[in-house]
């Protein structure tokens, strides 16, 4: 009766210890206020149309230049950064498989051989010496041991901790897929902008070459006027200096063209080669009309927002899994095989068969520092992931709002620059006629020509910014990866 009471007492103590080990801290409750407070429109003055959103347009439909489309296709096949990102997806996929594998029993096969000699004056040695396996045959000394069979181990997921870890790995895997989509979107934007910058440099090169011819003619006129005593040597030298300056600028632009071509080649993952393009149509290009939709659509269209959202989900699941580390775990182990002290006895069944089955319920009781630290780290990462998600949403909204304003202002800027260029073109003709007739000073001619050159170069830059801004807002709306 006393033994029975002792067993009850031990069982009660064990149960109390197990229940004590189940106490776990609570995770920080986070609330996503930024997502809930996204404005209805990007601009207070404009009413957005939810049915029109350029971010959902596939890039092949958005870009119509066949040369640009070909470059984008090449970059999507060969770009090293994109290829690196694809391997990150494979790594995350392997992580999912690893977590999934922990949900099922682990079965291994193995075998072994050994020999052992027990002391003669021990209970084991004395027992072996007096034991007969067969008639008249005692146990061999030393005693061998040969075994082979299957071993299984299984952690029973009683608290769904392992399933939570698998769900976290799946969320992280999906976030890497969205990360790949974001790289795609950025890559297409970078290729398109570099292509337009290259076309702008081509046109600026044409302008400087035309300006060089103009300076050559002005120099010839100044020399003729000097011989006729209508101009001085100072005018000739001024035009010579301006001619040399324009030729130097030409070489600078040529170098910029080479560097920009190689920049595009690097994005395409290939060695330097000429970039096929049609520079003559650049100034007549009309930017695409962009429809922004409503701000809440950014949550579904932009890969970086979806990536941050999935990382937040993964972080929350990590906290949940870390919290369940405070609970007891149940592990079941089993073995089934053959065992004998002589290899020839292994085939004697059922005498050589050996089996075992055991279950173990264990939980942390004293010194939980490592588990607490892991939980606190996961909780902090959860909060960090929320801030990262909120920052991504806010930056995405501000990107679109800024670019919408930029599209309007750059259009006005381009129109005024075009008017300025036309006016200065006419003033050059007037100044040249007056200079030929000795009614205008050479400085007036130089200043007019320089102003006209600057205006033309700025007009080309304005066209490039006009086209690039449309590409930027297309990417900011979530376009480019579909």
């Amino acid at each position: 009766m006393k033994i029975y009471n002792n067993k009850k007492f031990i069982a009660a103590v064990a149960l109390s210890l197990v229940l004590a080990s189940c106490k776990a801290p609570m995770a920080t409750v986070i609330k996503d206020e930024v997502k809930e407070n996204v404005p209805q429109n990007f601009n207070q003055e404009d009413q957005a149309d939810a049915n029109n959103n350029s971010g959902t347009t596939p890039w092949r439909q958005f870009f119509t230049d066949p040369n640009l489309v070909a470059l984008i296709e090449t970059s999507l096949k060969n770009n090293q950064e994109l290829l690196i990102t694809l391997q990150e997806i494979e790594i995350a996929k392997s992580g999912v498989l690893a977590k999934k594998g922990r949900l099922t029993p682990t079965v291994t096969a193995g075998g072994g051989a050994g020999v052992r000699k027990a002391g003669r004056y021990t209970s084991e040695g004395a027992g072996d010496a007096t034991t007969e396996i067969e008639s008249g045959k005692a146990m061999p000394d030393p005693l061998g041991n040969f075994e082979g069979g299957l071993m299984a181990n299984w952690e029973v997921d009683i608290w769904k901790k392992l399933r939570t870890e698998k769900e976290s790995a799946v969320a992280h895997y999906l976030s890497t897929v969205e990360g790949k989509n974001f790289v795609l979107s950025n890559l297409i934007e970078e290729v398109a902008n570099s292509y337009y910058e290259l076309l702008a440099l081509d046109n600026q090169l044409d302008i400087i070459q035309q300006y060089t011819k103009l300076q050559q003619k002005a120099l010839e006129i100044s020399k003729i006027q000097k011989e006729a005593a209508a101009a001085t040597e100072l005018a000739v030298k001024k035009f010579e200096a301006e001619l040399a300056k324009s030729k130097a600028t030409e070489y600078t632009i040529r170098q910029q063209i080479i560097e920009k071509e190689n920049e595009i080649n690097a994005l395409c993952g290939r060695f330097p080669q000429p970039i096929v393009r049609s520079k003559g149509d650049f100034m007549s290009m009309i930017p695409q009309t962009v429809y922004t939709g409503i701000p809440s659509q950014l949550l579904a269209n932009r890969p970086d927002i979806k990536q941050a959202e999935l990382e937040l989900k993964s972080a929350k699941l990590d906290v949940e899994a870390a919290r369940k580390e405070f609970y007891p775990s149940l592990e079941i182990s089993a073995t089934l095989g053959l065992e004998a002290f002589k290899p020839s006895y292994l085939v004697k069944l059922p005498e050589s068969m050996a089996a075992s089955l055991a279950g173990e319920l264990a939980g942390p009781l004293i010194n939980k520092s490592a588990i607490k630290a892991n939980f606190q780290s996961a909780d902090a990462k959860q909060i960090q992931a929320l801030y990262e998600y909120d920052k991504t949403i806010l930056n995405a909204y501000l990107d679109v709002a800024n670019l919408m304003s930029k599209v309007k202002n750059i259009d006005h800027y381009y129109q005024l620059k075009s008017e300025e260029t036309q006016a200065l073109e006419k003033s050059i003709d007037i100044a040249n006629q007056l200079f030929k007739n000795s009614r205008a000073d050479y400085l007036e001619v130089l200043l007019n020509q320089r102003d006209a050159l600057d205006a033309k170069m700025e007009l080309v830059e304005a066209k490039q910014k006009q086209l690039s801004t449309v590409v930027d807002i297309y990417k900011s709306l979530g376009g480019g990866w579909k």
Side-chain angles (χ1 to χ4, degrees), residues 112-359:
V115 64
R116 183 176 184 277
K117 184 182 186 312
R120 178 66 179 83
Y121 299 109
T122 63
S123 59
E124 182 181 353
D128 291 344
T130 58
T131 300
E132 292 186 358
I133 302 302
E134 296 178 347
S135 178
K137 293 183 179 180
M139 291 280 285
D141 189 20
L143 185 66
N145 187 63
F146 301 90
E147 61 182 0
L150 302 176
M151 293 157 281
N153 289 283
W154 182 33
E155 181 180 351
V156 184
D157 195 19
I158 53 178
W159 310 110
K160 296 184 178 181
K161 180 190 73 174
L162 300 180
R163 274 169 280 188
T164 302
E165 290 178 350
K166 189 198 80 169
E167 290 173 7
S168 173
V170 170
H172 176 66
Y173 162 72
L174 294 175
S175 77
T176 61
V177 174
E178 295 300 338
K180 181 264 296 181
N181 292 335
F182 189 57
V183 171
L184 281 175
S185 186
N186 284 334
L187 178 60
I188 291 173
E189 176 197 32
E190 197 168 353
V191 172
N193 284 341
S194 296
Y195 179 75
Y196 291 139
E197 289 173 11
L198 181 59
L199 293 181
L201 288 170
D202 287 338
N203 280 262
Q204 287 180 334
L205 181 61
D206 290 341
I207 291 172
I208 202 68
Q209 287 174 341
Q210 293 170 7
Y211 182 71
T212 300
K213 292 179 181 178
L214 187 64
Q215 290 304 310
Q216 188 69 49
K217 291 180 180 179
L219 177 60
E220 292 172 0
I221 294 172
S222 65
K223 288 180 178 179
I224 293 172
Q225 289 187 336
K226 177 193 171 187
E227 293 175 358
T232 64
E233 180 68 16
L234 180 60
V236 175
K237 294 303 179 183
K238 282 288 186 180
F239 281 114
E240 284 180 350
E242 192 69 18
L243 179 61
K245 179 182 177 181
S246 62
K247 288 182 178 179
T249 304
E250 179 180 341
Y251 285 107
T252 300
I253 296 176
R254 287 184 183 276
Q255 178 61 27
Q256 291 174 344
I257 289 174
I258 292 174
E259 292 177 0
K260 187 58 64 176
E261 282 186 321
N262 289 337
E263 184 179 317
I264 295 174
N265 283 320
L267 292 172
C268 293
R270 64 191 187 187
F271 288 103
Q273 57 183 274
I275 302 297
V276 179
R277 72 261 192 193
S278 178
K279 62 181 180 180
D281 301 330
F282 178 70
M283 296 305 294
S284 60
M285 286 183 178
I286 299 176
Q288 291 264 22
T289 301
V290 179
Y291 302 98
T292 59
I294 57 178
S296 60
Q297 290 175 328
L298 290 175
L299 304 178
N301 291 343
R302 281 191 54 141
D304 57 335
I305 293 180
K306 292 194 285 185
Q307 181 184 17
E309 183 179 16
L310 288 166
E311 286 295 343
L312 175 59
K313 179 181 178 181
S314 177
K316 289 180 178 178
L317 291 169
D318 285 340
V319 175
E320 186 178 342
R323 187 171 183 271
K324 291 175 181 178
E325 289 287 348
F326 289 91
Y327 302 157
S329 60
L330 174 61
E331 292 189 5
I332 298 175
S333 60
T335 60
L336 176 64
L338 303 175
E339 187 175 15
F341 62 82
K342 285 179 64 176
S344 59
Y345 287 164
L346 287 173
V347 295
K348 289 188 176 183
L349 300 175
E351 289 84 355
S352 63
M353 288 190 64
S356 69
L357 177 65

Side-chain angles (χ1 to χ4, degrees), residues 414-430:
Y414 179 80
Q415 184 61 39
L416 293 172
K417 276 295 174 183
S418 180
E419 294 175 5
E420 178 188 4
T421 302
Q422 292 174 7
L424 288 172
E425 280 285 348
K426 294 178 181 178
S427 70
I428 287 178
D429 294 334
I430 296 172

